[in-house]
Amino acid sequence: MTSQVPCYTIINSPDLEVPNEMQLKQDLEKGDTNVKIETLKRVIKLLLNGERYPGLIMTIIRFVLPVQNHTIKKLLLIFWEIVPKTSADGKLLQEMILVCDAYRKDLQHPNEFLRGSTLRFLCKLKEPELLEPLMPAIRACLDHRHSYVRRNAVLAIFTIYKNFDWLVPDGPELIASFLDTQQDMSCKRNAFLMLLHADQERALNYLASCIDQVHTFGDILQLVIVELIYKVCHANPAERSRFIRCIYNLLNSSSNAVRYESAGTLITLSLAPTAIKAAASCYIELVVKESDNNVKLIVLDRLVAMKEHEGMEKVMQDLVMDVLRVLAAPDIEVRRKTLALALDLVYSRNIGEMVLVLKKEVAKTHNVEHEDTGKYRQLLVRTLHTCSIKFPDVAGNVIPVLVEFLSDTNELAAADVLIFIREAIQKFPALRALIIEHLIEAFPQIKSSKIHRAAVWILGEYVEGPQILEVIAVIQQTLGDVPMVEAEQRRLAGDQTEEQKQQQGSAGGTGTGSATEGSGSGNASNKVTSDGTYATQSAYSLAPVTKAEKRPPLRQYLMDGDFFIGAALSATLTKLALRYAELQPEARAQNRLTTQVMLIMSSILHLGKSGFPSKPITNDDTDRIFVCLRTLSERTPEAVAVFTLFCREALGKMLDAQHDEDQRMLKEKQKATAKVQPDDPVLFAQLSNGRDNQLGENVFESSLNQALAGSKNAQLSDVASPNSKLNKVTQLTGFSDPVYAEAYVNVNQYDIVLDVLIVNQTNDTLQNCTLELATLGDLKLVERPHPVVLAPHDFCNIKANVKVSSTENGIIFGNIVYDTALNTNVVVLNTIHIDIMDYIIPASCTDTEFRQMWQDFEWENKVTVNTSFTDLHEYLKHLLKSTNMKCLTPEKALSGQCGFMAANMYAKSIFGENALANLSIEKPVDDPDSKVTGHIRIRAKSQGMALSLGDKISSSQKQSVQAA
């Protein structure tokens, strides 16, 4: 037995107060038309909420059914759809004969709206006893003058034939002859749809007779024709040649929906290069012309799926320039997906054209201020970076364009440029001179301390020969006068510093001199007024105004207290001085440059301790500068080797490790799309439901799988397998309770379906057995389950839907209430805990993005490690498995046993929420039996996410301890 009654109409109703049945009867009998309409609406809502009013049926038949008002007619269709039409023993109610007669009259009514809506209602009836007397009237509607009636008559015959074919045994034949005479497109579509499902042979014969006119049909009929061709060709591949020309024609349809479906069908029917190119071109046109971003993303996903197929990828490589047309879309997600697709498809022949397009896109972003402009620039930089590393021939063209980004206010884009330059200068020695030339040119315009720091390192590591002096000159220019403390004192005293004089000289200004005469104590100043007299003002009556001085960039960083740039600068200057000493044989020139460099370093140290900057220099930066000074003065071979050799070697090793990691990821992707091996079993279409690859499987079946399972990876066998259900069954009551209940919790993407089995273990009949549920957390019960009647030792299944809106641990609790002959009883149910892991999927991001999110997210949850694990790597594996997170720290960084481990982890929820975690654990190396200790810090944007993930880690730790 099941409590599910067929119902196709869902009406949202707030909590209603249950009225008196006598009052309802009175309103339906004696009220005017408006009162009857309002009362009928209330009755419908009460019925949907589980109330039962068997006494109202006759009242409605007598006093409401004869009324000719159209609103009442519409409401009555909903009422007869949801009202119970059978008695307790399953027999049809006698009153329904009268209803049947009323609807037979409506089917012959002169008003076409009434006829059509009645025919739509008949599609929802599941009682053949009610439908049988109406069949002659339904058939007569096929010849009605109005298309609205005719198309609904076809749908009614289709539904009746599908459910009770004996009521209309000649249905396909009747509809086939109807189809031949029809001109209206909606009628033809419904008729063709029936033949498609009821008699494919007749549908094929009709299609064959008008295959040359298909492109002139309306889009609704064309969509059904595409579905028929797909199904026929999937079941019988020999038919492909017969219909493939028709699909080609439909690629040029005026309807975007038809073109999308036709392109999808074409690549399932044929893998010929012309077919792949036509389908891909059609998809690209749809993305470019369609304004809806969701549609763009869906179609781009189809293009990405095509690219994954090796045979299609080669054909699609020639369409890279067409794909890049999609960059005209303003949405950042569309652009990101487009650039990723183009990057995968590009090859040596069209890389030059792609770089030209990307350069134009870079130029477009310079004067456009939009919230996503910065992100788009970053995307373009990364794409050009990948292009240059993949195809070194274009690197020379890309570098000048990217170096312009160094002066950009968007620090992220500039940082990505420097990462690219660092890799290019190491991997392509031939381009070093070009890169350094552009970098020296752009150096004074850089606006960020972080970017300056990285640029200084690159210049110090790779500059050679005569460019050494050029770099030192540029650094001095961006640093200002040295010694810096004296320069700042002169600036404070009001004297002109050297750089101010240079600025005035370059501006061609004639210095007017100072118009102020400082008094001996400096507490008053004389100003020249407009009439030429002096005005005197005391300094005590003025609030001190600090004038924002314009300093050179590197000096400004130091004055703001950022002495890390000073330490990086010292290391760079040391490298340059040591390299110059190797190249310049003359001792005097060597010493001149070394003393110049040492003066800059000592000046930075002096400034750091002088009190002028907003923050003093840190001990770390002081130590680093002292090491540089000492290296230049003593020049021990070990220290010189560190500066001249080991830094570059470390960069080479890091880039090699990154390259190895990328190659490993690429191999893993290739493994996922494994080719057919010689000893693989042969798959016969007749013996299997579908294949693993997208092209061979039945797309209708796979979309059904996804709808059932809530995820793309689930197979129909997994959904249907009893084992998967048994793992998710929660016992709600005890075996000794009068009512036993257990729930199968099926988690879809945004909702949870509870399938509750209720068993009556008593010898009594349970009346009004109701499942009452409530939720805790971000869960919402969609509808209240209907009450049921349970015979002795009977059982039933009740379904309840719960809506989920965020990634938090939720709890569902409640009770079962039932009436016996003596009293009302309540059985309290066990709580159902909704696992957060159903919504979290592993994800990856760059180190920079991780740090940025770590800084931005305000909710942190610190969990102490309490586990029985004695191995650090085993504990990390256990943590990743129990939290669905991905470890961002590379495998090489985690390898080896050193007694401690630090790792970053990242995951995303299906609602788009980010979760970050940092693991810091340790154990004594000399004690192999000691347990892992430490803590895990979780950060998220929402409090619920951080707390739920912490609870999950704590519970998984408890389980591991109990198991041990």
Side-chain angles (χ1 to χ4, degrees), residues 285-392:
E285 282 295 318
L286 286 175
V287 182
V288 172
K289 291 183 178 174
E290 184 59 50
S291 57
D292 190 334
N293 283 332
N294 293 321
V295 175
K296 285 179 187 283
L297 289 169
I298 290 166
V299 181
L300 277 170
D301 280 337
R302 294 291 299 167
L303 283 166
V304 171
M306 284 177 70
K307 183 260 306 174
E308 298 295 334
H309 192 278
E310 195 176 354
M312 294 189 186
E313 187 177 10
K314 288 176 183 173
V315 179
M316 290 176 69
Q317 284 177 341
D318 294 327
L319 297 172
V320 169
M321 301 314 294
D322 292 329
V323 170
L324 289 173
R325 286 164 55 205
V326 182
L327 291 176
D331 185 68
I332 189 71
E333 283 303 318
V334 173
R335 286 169 159 177
R336 181 178 283 120
K337 214 162 242 187
T338 305
L339 286 172
L341 176 64
L343 204 52
D344 286 340
L345 290 176
V346 74
Y347 68 122
S348 54
R349 284 189 189 173
N350 51 21
I351 181 67
E353 294 174 37
M354 179 170 165
V355 166
L356 284 174
V357 171
L358 294 178
K359 282 163 113 177
K360 284 180 186 171
E361 288 295 318
V362 167
K364 283 182 197 171
T365 62
H366 279 307
N367 302 319
V368 179
E369 281 309 318
H370 186 265
E371 58 179 338
D372 286 333
T373 304
K375 290 180 185 173
Y376 184 43
R377 282 185 201 166
Q378 204 178 345
L379 269 178
L380 289 169
V381 168
R382 287 183 181 176
T383 309
L384 285 166
H385 173 180
T386 314
C387 287
S388 304
I389 301 303
K390 207 171 172 184
F391 304 97

Side-chain angles (χ1 to χ4, degrees), residues 425 428-440 462 467:
I425 208 168
F428 311 133
L431 294 173
R432 281 180 189 171
L434 173 74
I435 293 172
I436 287 166
E437 185 188 327
H438 282 288
L439 201 52
I440 292 171
Y462 291 97
Q467 285 181 315

Side-chain angles (χ1 to χ4, degrees), residues 432-655:
R432 281 180 189 171
L434 173 74
I435 293 172
I436 287 166
E437 185 188 327
H438 282 288
L439 201 52
I440 292 171
E441 212 175 287
F443 193 81
Q445 277 81 44
I446 296 173
K447 298 182 176 68
S448 159
S449 156
K450 187 178 171 186
I451 306 307
H452 252 131
R453 201 167 64 228
V456 158
W457 188 91
I458 292 170
L459 287 171
E461 196 59 55
Y462 291 97
V463 168
E464 289 171 356
Q467 285 181 315
I468 292 175
L469 295 173
E470 199 180 332
V471 169
I472 290 176
V474 168
I475 288 173
Q476 279 187 321
Q477 182 195 333
T478 49
L479 198 58
D481 291 350
V482 178
M484 284 180 272
V485 174
E486 285 78 351
E488 289 300 321
Q489 283 173 338
R490 285 200 302 275
R491 190 190 291 270
L492 206 62
D495 296 340
Q496 282 189 323
T497 57
E498 289 297 319
E499 64 257 22
Q500 284 173 329
K501 286 176 185 171
Q502 286 170 10
Q503 282 169 9
Q504 282 189 1
S506 63
T510 58
T512 57
S514 176
T516 60
E517 291 180 8
S519 67
S521 60
N523 62 354
S525 60
N526 297 327
K527 307 269 181 185
V528 181
T529 60
S530 56
D531 60 353
T533 60
Y534 284 102
T536 306
Q537 187 174 35
S538 171
Y540 295 115
S541 65
L542 276 174
V545 178
T546 55
K547 212 166 120 186
E549 297 283 358
K550 186 161 176 59
R551 298 184 177 90
L554 290 179
R555 172 84 61 85
Q556 188 61 52
Y557 303 147
L558 296 173
M559 291 302 290
D560 293 339
D562 181 6
F563 280 93
F564 189 26
I565 182 87
L569 196 60
S570 302
T572 293
L573 290 169
T574 306
K575 289 175 190 174
L576 293 174
L578 292 170
R579 202 167 293 127
Y580 186 75
E582 290 173 9
L583 297 170
Q584 178 59 259
E586 192 187 340
R588 181 178 289 184
Q590 285 183 23
N591 292 338
R592 189 187 299 117
L593 185 77
T594 305
T595 50
Q596 190 183 345
V597 162
M598 291 174 85
L599 176 63
I600 293 173
M601 291 188 218
S602 55
S603 177
I604 292 171
L605 276 173
H606 190 193
L607 181 69
K609 295 182 182 295
S610 67
F612 283 115
S614 55
K615 295 179 200 164
I617 189 169
T618 63
N619 291 338
D620 283 351
D621 294 332
T622 307
D623 290 347
R624 287 189 69 189
I625 297 172
F626 270 127
V627 166
C628 294
L629 284 166
R630 190 170 179 179
T631 304
L632 283 176
S633 58
E634 296 179 2
R635 304 212 180 179
T636 55
E638 293 85 357
V640 171
V642 168
F643 278 100
T644 54
L645 298 173
F646 294 163
C647 291
R648 198 177 299 190
E649 283 180 15
L651 174 64
K653 284 177 184 173
M654 189 191 81
L655 292 175

